[in-house]
């Protein structure tokens, strides 16, 4: 059954929360079949699927398209839709864009940074919000770890608390020292979801392309569970050879189509 924000808050401290990103229907279906309770349709789609150099090139229309595809693949999974760069600049603009993502199939929206008035405005209009602090790819000048100095650590802690106080039900902690993630996790009553933030968060999120080994590069804190890019190249090579040698198609192949279980 699809989980709601209260279910995730109740999981804090009792059951670690696994989260994966997805951008397409078949991948979302496989993730739902693996019983992952929450999918993030992140604006990372711009870099890992669309070939942009930055997430800043992603538009609200791109997000609607991908959220729709993921919803069709994962009807019973909580979907978080990312508000792309510039779509949450003020409370009214953010509300219009968040409503578009919800209409496209998201159950909640995620936004980067301690944009308190915007979070409060969305929550007031019954849109569940996931916060995001630490490294903020939409505005970061580089991808270095955030929160190493005591001043910066205090600022990240303050931002996480402000995001919670504004009404967010979950917060992503990206690329911060493990000790800082541990402190934030023990102070906040809402779940923290780490990416490059160590083992003490309430849950972990990975970009699906990184976990699959699908693409050209992976951040150092990710884990590559497979190497799908290599498999695709092997399949393409084999197919090419079989076409050239006229081994494919053969008479024994059925084209009736099957559903794999
Ligand atoms: O856009 C995204 O996929 C994200 C994750 C890296 C947390 O924000």
């Amino acid at each position: 059954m699809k989980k709601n924000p209260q279910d995730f808050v109740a999981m804090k401290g009792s059951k670690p929360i696994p989260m994966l990103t997805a951008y397409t229907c078949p991948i979302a279906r496989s993730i739902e079949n693996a019983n992952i309770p929450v999918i993030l349709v992140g604006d990372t789609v711009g870099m890992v699927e669309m070939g942009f150099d930055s997430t800043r090139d992603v538009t609200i229309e791109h997000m609607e398209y991908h959220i729709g595809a993921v919803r069709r693949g994962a009807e019973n999974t909580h979907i978080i839709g990312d508000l792309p760069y510039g779509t949450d600049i003020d409370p009214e603009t953010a509300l219009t864009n968040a409503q578009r993502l919800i209409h496209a199939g998201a159950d909640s929206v995620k936004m980067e940074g301690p944009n308190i008035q915007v979070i409060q405005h969305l929550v007031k209009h019954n849109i569940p919000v996931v916060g995001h602090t630490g490294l903020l790819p939409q505005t970061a000048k580089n991808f270095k770890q955030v929160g190493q100095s005591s001043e910066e650590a205090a600022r990240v802690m303050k931002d996480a608390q402000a995001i919670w106080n504004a009404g967010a039900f979950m917060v992503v902690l990206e690329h911060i020292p493990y000790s800082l993630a541990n402190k934030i996790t023990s102070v906040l009553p809402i779940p923290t979801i780490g990416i490059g933030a160590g083992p003490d968060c309430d849950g972990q999120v990975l970009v699906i392309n990184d976990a699959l080994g699908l693409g050209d590069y992976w951040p150092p804190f990710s884990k590559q569970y497979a190497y799908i890019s290599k498999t695709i190249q092997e399949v393409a090579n084999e197919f090419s050879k079989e076409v050239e040698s006229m081994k494919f198609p053969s008479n024994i192949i059925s084209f009736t189509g099957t559903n794999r279980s």
Side-chain angles (χ1 to χ4, degrees), residues 3 6-18 185 188-192 200-203:
K3 292 204 186 306
Q6 291 71 34
D7 296 325
F8 291 114
V9 175
M11 286 168 82
K12 184 177 174 86
S14 62
K15 201 166 188 282
I17 302 169
T185 300
L188 293 194
I190 55 171
T192 59
D200 298 329
C201 299
D202 297 303

PDB file of all heavy atoms in Angstrom, residues 3 6-18 185 188-192 200-203:
ATOM      1  N   LYS A   3       2.618   4.544   0.864  1.00  0.00           N
ATOM      2  CA  LYS A   3       2.883   5.206   2.150  1.00  0.00           C
ATOM      3  C   LYS A   3       2.654   6.707   2.028  1.00  0.00           C
ATOM      4  O   LYS A   3       2.883   7.306   0.968  1.00  0.00           O
ATOM      5  CB  LYS A   3       4.324   4.950   2.588  1.00  0.00           C
ATOM      6  CG  LYS A   3       4.583   3.497   2.956  1.00  0.00           C
ATOM      7  CD  LYS A   3       5.748   3.399   3.902  1.00  0.00           C
ATOM      8  CE  LYS A   3       6.131   1.961   4.192  1.00  0.00           C
ATOM      9  NZ  LYS A   3       5.041   1.120   4.664  1.00  0.00           N
ATOM     10  N   GLN A   6       3.024  10.662   7.034  1.00  0.00           N
ATOM     11  CA  GLN A   6       2.985  10.214   8.439  1.00  0.00           C
ATOM     12  C   GLN A   6       3.641   8.834   8.576  1.00  0.00           C
ATOM     13  O   GLN A   6       4.307   8.551   9.571  1.00  0.00           O
ATOM     14  CB  GLN A   6       1.540  10.140   8.966  1.00  0.00           C
ATOM     15  CG  GLN A   6       0.843  11.485   9.134  1.00  0.00           C
ATOM     16  CD  GLN A   6       0.480  12.149   7.795  1.00  0.00           C
ATOM     17  OE1 GLN A   6       0.146  11.477   6.821  1.00  0.00           O
ATOM     18  NE2 GLN A   6       0.578  13.458   7.738  1.00  0.00           N
ATOM     19  N   ASP A   7       3.432   7.969   7.588  1.00  0.00           N
ATOM     20  CA  ASP A   7       4.055   6.635   7.634  1.00  0.00           C
ATOM     21  C   ASP A   7       5.581   6.764   7.679  1.00  0.00           C
ATOM     22  O   ASP A   7       6.256   6.027   8.405  1.00  0.00           O
ATOM     23  CB  ASP A   7       3.680   5.800   6.401  1.00  0.00           C
ATOM     24  CG  ASP A   7       2.195   5.507   6.333  1.00  0.00           C
ATOM     25  OD1 ASP A   7       1.579   5.312   7.393  1.00  0.00           O
ATOM     26  OD2 ASP A   7       1.641   5.481   5.202  1.00  0.00           O
ATOM     27  N   PHE A   8       6.121   7.699   6.897  1.00  0.00           N
ATOM     28  CA  PHE A   8       7.585   7.859   6.885  1.00  0.00           C
ATOM     29  C   PHE A   8       8.081   8.425   8.215  1.00  0.00           C
ATOM     30  O   PHE A   8       9.121   8.006   8.718  1.00  0.00           O
ATOM     31  CB  PHE A   8       8.024   8.740   5.711  1.00  0.00           C
ATOM     32  CG  PHE A   8       7.815   8.056   4.379  1.00  0.00           C
ATOM     33  CD1 PHE A   8       6.891   8.536   3.472  1.00  0.00           C
ATOM     34  CD2 PHE A   8       8.517   6.903   4.063  1.00  0.00           C
ATOM     35  CE1 PHE A   8       6.679   7.891   2.262  1.00  0.00           C
ATOM     36  CE2 PHE A   8       8.315   6.241   2.848  1.00  0.00           C
ATOM     37  CZ  PHE A   8       7.390   6.742   1.948  1.00  0.00           C
ATOM     38  N   VAL A   9       7.310   9.353   8.782  1.00  0.00           N
ATOM     39  CA  VAL A   9       7.718   9.905  10.088  1.00  0.00           C
ATOM     40  C   VAL A   9       7.710   8.783  11.132  1.00  0.00           C
ATOM     41  O   VAL A   9       8.616   8.679  11.963  1.00  0.00           O
ATOM     42  CB  VAL A   9       6.795  11.085  10.495  1.00  0.00           C
ATOM     43  CG1 VAL A   9       7.143  11.574  11.903  1.00  0.00           C
ATOM     44  CG2 VAL A   9       6.925  12.240   9.496  1.00  0.00           C
ATOM     45  N   ALA A  10       6.709   7.900  11.033  1.00  0.00           N
ATOM     46  CA  ALA A  10       6.608   6.791  11.998  1.00  0.00           C
ATOM     47  C   ALA A  10       7.764   5.795  11.836  1.00  0.00           C
ATOM     48  O   ALA A  10       8.112   5.074  12.776  1.00  0.00           O
ATOM     49  CB  ALA A  10       5.267   6.081  11.827  1.00  0.00           C
ATOM     50  N   MET A  11       8.356   5.746  10.646  1.00  0.00           N
ATOM     51  CA  MET A  11       9.468   4.808  10.427  1.00  0.00           C
ATOM     52  C   MET A  11      10.763   5.295  11.082  1.00  0.00           C
ATOM     53  O   MET A  11      11.699   4.520  11.277  1.00  0.00           O
ATOM     54  CB  MET A  11       9.713   4.603   8.915  1.00  0.00           C
ATOM     55  CG  MET A  11       8.648   3.735   8.246  1.00  0.00           C
ATOM     56  SD  MET A  11       8.758   3.795   6.448  1.00  0.00           S
ATOM     57  CE  MET A  11      10.062   2.597   6.143  1.00  0.00           C
ATOM     58  N   LYS A  12      10.808   6.591  11.405  1.00  0.00           N
ATOM     59  CA  LYS A  12      12.050   7.144  11.994  1.00  0.00           C
ATOM     60  C   LYS A  12      12.423   6.385  13.262  1.00  0.00           C
ATOM     61  O   LYS A  12      11.597   6.209  14.160  1.00  0.00           O
ATOM     62  CB  LYS A  12      11.873   8.635  12.309  1.00  0.00           C
ATOM     63  CG  LYS A  12      13.172   9.262  12.819  1.00  0.00           C
ATOM     64  CD  LYS A  12      13.052  10.737  13.061  1.00  0.00           C
ATOM     65  CE  LYS A  12      14.319  11.272  13.701  1.00  0.00           C
ATOM     66  NZ  LYS A  12      15.379  11.651  12.784  1.00  0.00           N
ATOM     67  N   GLY A  13      13.639   5.942  13.309  1.00  0.00           N
ATOM     68  CA  GLY A  13      14.129   5.262  14.504  1.00  0.00           C
ATOM     69  C   GLY A  13      13.716   3.810  14.596  1.00  0.00           C
ATOM     70  O   GLY A  13      14.176   3.091  15.476  1.00  0.00           O
ATOM     71  N   SER A  14      12.817   3.344  13.691  1.00  0.00           N
ATOM     72  CA  SER A  14      12.417   1.939  13.789  1.00  0.00           C
ATOM     73  C   SER A  14      12.792   1.144  12.537  1.00  0.00           C
ATOM     74  O   SER A  14      13.161  -0.020  12.623  1.00  0.00           O
ATOM     75  CB  SER A  14      10.918   1.811  14.073  1.00  0.00           C
ATOM     76  OG  SER A  14      10.185   2.367  13.028  1.00  0.00           O
ATOM     77  N   LYS A  15      12.736   1.783  11.364  1.00  0.00           N
ATOM     78  CA  LYS A  15      13.014   1.026  10.140  1.00  0.00           C
ATOM     79  C   LYS A  15      13.713   1.942   9.131  1.00  0.00           C
ATOM     80  O   LYS A  15      13.142   2.978   8.752  1.00  0.00           O
ATOM     81  CB  LYS A  15      11.668   0.549   9.549  1.00  0.00           C
ATOM     82  CG  LYS A  15      11.764  -0.618   8.618  1.00  0.00           C
ATOM     83  CD  LYS A  15      10.366  -1.208   8.367  1.00  0.00           C
ATOM     84  CE  LYS A  15      10.442  -2.496   7.581  1.00  0.00           C
ATOM     85  NZ  LYS A  15      10.663  -2.314   6.168  1.00  0.00           N
ATOM     86  N   PRO A  16      14.926   1.619   8.729  1.00  0.00           N
ATOM     87  CA  PRO A  16      15.615   2.466   7.747  1.00  0.00           C
ATOM     88  C   PRO A  16      14.822   2.558   6.431  1.00  0.00           C
ATOM     89  O   PRO A  16      14.196   1.585   6.011  1.00  0.00           O
ATOM     90  CB  PRO A  16      16.951   1.753   7.527  1.00  0.00           C
ATOM     91  CG  PRO A  16      17.149   0.924   8.747  1.00  0.00           C
ATOM     92  CD  PRO A  16      15.765   0.506   9.191  1.00  0.00           C
ATOM     93  N   ILE A  17      14.853   3.727   5.839  1.00  0.00           N
ATOM     94  CA  ILE A  17      14.035   3.987   4.638  1.00  0.00           C
ATOM     95  C   ILE A  17      14.927   3.943   3.388  1.00  0.00           C
ATOM     96  O   ILE A  17      15.811   4.793   3.232  1.00  0.00           O
ATOM     97  CB  ILE A  17      13.366   5.381   4.737  1.00  0.00           C
ATOM     98  CG1 ILE A  17      12.499   5.469   6.010  1.00  0.00           C
ATOM     99  CG2 ILE A  17      12.543   5.681   3.487  1.00  0.00           C
ATOM    100  CD1 ILE A  17      12.014   6.881   6.347  1.00  0.00           C
ATOM    101  N   PRO A  18      14.698   2.973   2.487  1.00  0.00           N
ATOM    102  CA  PRO A  18      15.452   2.969   1.229  1.00  0.00           C
ATOM    103  C   PRO A  18      14.695   3.794   0.178  1.00  0.00           C
ATOM    104  O   PRO A  18      13.502   3.618  -0.016  1.00  0.00           O
ATOM    105  CB  PRO A  18      15.480   1.490   0.830  1.00  0.00           C
ATOM    106  CG  PRO A  18      14.331   0.855   1.544  1.00  0.00           C
ATOM    107  CD  PRO A  18      13.830   1.791   2.622  1.00  0.00           C
ATOM    108  N   THR A 185      20.248  14.051  12.553  1.00  0.00           N
ATOM    109  CA  THR A 185      19.290  12.941  12.643  1.00  0.00           C
ATOM    110  C   THR A 185      18.781  12.780  14.074  1.00  0.00           C
ATOM    111  O   THR A 185      17.599  12.498  14.299  1.00  0.00           O
ATOM    112  CB  THR A 185      19.953  11.634  12.142  1.00  0.00           C
ATOM    113  OG1 THR A 185      20.350  11.850  10.789  1.00  0.00           O
ATOM    114  CG2 THR A 185      18.998  10.445  12.199  1.00  0.00           C
ATOM    115  N   LEU A 188      16.340  16.099  14.820  1.00  0.00           N
ATOM    116  CA  LEU A 188      15.070  16.288  14.092  1.00  0.00           C
ATOM    117  C   LEU A 188      14.075  15.162  14.372  1.00  0.00           C
ATOM    118  O   LEU A 188      14.459  13.995  14.367  1.00  0.00           O
ATOM    119  CB  LEU A 188      15.307  16.331  12.576  1.00  0.00           C
ATOM    120  CG  LEU A 188      16.067  17.491  11.968  1.00  0.00           C
ATOM    121  CD1 LEU A 188      15.876  17.493  10.457  1.00  0.00           C
ATOM    122  CD2 LEU A 188      15.644  18.825  12.528  1.00  0.00           C
ATOM    123  N   PRO A 189      12.793  15.480  14.533  1.00  0.00           N
ATOM    124  CA  PRO A 189      11.787  14.422  14.706  1.00  0.00           C
ATOM    125  C   PRO A 189      11.293  13.838  13.377  1.00  0.00           C
ATOM    126  O   PRO A 189      10.467  12.939  13.370  1.00  0.00           O
ATOM    127  CB  PRO A 189      10.654  15.151  15.448  1.00  0.00           C
ATOM    128  CG  PRO A 189      10.796  16.576  15.075  1.00  0.00           C
ATOM    129  CD  PRO A 189      12.226  16.831  14.722  1.00  0.00           C
ATOM    130  N   ILE A 190      11.789  14.366  12.254  1.00  0.00           N
ATOM    131  CA  ILE A 190      11.393  13.830  10.939  1.00  0.00           C
ATOM    132  C   ILE A 190      12.561  13.030  10.361  1.00  0.00           C
ATOM    133  O   ILE A 190      13.717  13.263  10.744  1.00  0.00           O
ATOM    134  CB  ILE A 190      10.973  14.969   9.971  1.00  0.00           C
ATOM    135  CG1 ILE A 190      12.095  16.023   9.841  1.00  0.00           C
ATOM    136  CG2 ILE A 190       9.664  15.619  10.412  1.00  0.00           C
ATOM    137  CD1 ILE A 190      11.856  17.060   8.738  1.00  0.00           C
ATOM    138  N   PRO A 191      12.286  12.086   9.448  1.00  0.00           N
ATOM    139  CA  PRO A 191      13.380  11.267   8.905  1.00  0.00           C
ATOM    140  C   PRO A 191      14.374  12.077   8.068  1.00  0.00           C
ATOM    141  O   PRO A 191      13.981  12.960   7.311  1.00  0.00           O
ATOM    142  CB  PRO A 191      12.673  10.227   8.031  1.00  0.00           C
ATOM    143  CG  PRO A 191      11.224  10.426   8.193  1.00  0.00           C
ATOM    144  CD  PRO A 191      10.976  11.686   8.939  1.00  0.00           C
ATOM    145  N   THR A 192      15.658  11.739   8.242  1.00  0.00           N
ATOM    146  CA  THR A 192      16.705  12.280   7.383  1.00  0.00           C
ATOM    147  C   THR A 192      17.056  11.183   6.376  1.00  0.00           C
ATOM    148  O   THR A 192      17.153  10.008   6.732  1.00  0.00           O
ATOM    149  CB  THR A 192      17.963  12.639   8.193  1.00  0.00           C
ATOM    150  OG1 THR A 192      18.441  11.455   8.857  1.00  0.00           O
ATOM    151  CG2 THR A 192      17.669  13.714   9.223  1.00  0.00           C
ATOM    152  N   ASP A 200      24.290   6.977   9.609  1.00  0.00           N
ATOM    153  CA  ASP A 200      23.396   7.261  10.743  1.00  0.00           C
ATOM    154  C   ASP A 200      22.100   7.964  10.358  1.00  0.00           C
ATOM    155  O   ASP A 200      21.309   8.331  11.234  1.00  0.00           O
ATOM    156  CB  ASP A 200      24.139   8.103  11.790  1.00  0.00           C
ATOM    157  CG  ASP A 200      25.331   7.354  12.350  1.00  0.00           C
ATOM    158  OD1 ASP A 200      25.253   6.103  12.406  1.00  0.00           O
ATOM    159  OD2 ASP A 200      26.346   7.996  12.683  1.00  0.00           O
ATOM    160  N   CYS A 201      21.888   8.201   9.071  1.00  0.00           N
ATOM    161  CA  CYS A 201      20.621   8.835   8.647  1.00  0.00           C
ATOM    162  C   CYS A 201      19.491   7.816   8.794  1.00  0.00           C
ATOM    163  O   CYS A 201      19.724   6.612   8.912  1.00  0.00           O
ATOM    164  CB  CYS A 201      20.728   9.284   7.195  1.00  0.00           C
ATOM    165  SG  CYS A 201      22.026  10.503   6.949  1.00  0.00           S
ATOM    166  N   ASP A 202      18.250   8.315   8.740  1.00  0.00           N
ATOM    167  CA  ASP A 202      17.095   7.411   8.873  1.00  0.00           C
ATOM    168  C   ASP A 202      16.839   6.622   7.595  1.00  0.00           C
ATOM    169  O   ASP A 202      16.070   5.656   7.601  1.00  0.00           O
ATOM    170  CB  ASP A 202      15.848   8.221   9.234  1.00  0.00           C
ATOM    171  CG  ASP A 202      16.003   8.909  10.586  1.00  0.00           C
ATOM    172  OD1 ASP A 202      16.249   8.195  11.581  1.00  0.00           O
ATOM    173  OD2 ASP A 202      15.916  10.148  10.641  1.00  0.00           O
ATOM    174  N   GLY A 203      17.417   7.058   6.509  1.00  0.00           N
ATOM    175  CA  GLY A 203      17.267   6.346   5.246  1.00  0.00           C
ATOM    176  C   GLY A 203      18.389   6.753   4.312  1.00  0.00           C
ATOM    177  O   GLY A 203      19.200   7.631   4.639  1.00  0.00           O
TER     178      GLY A 203
END
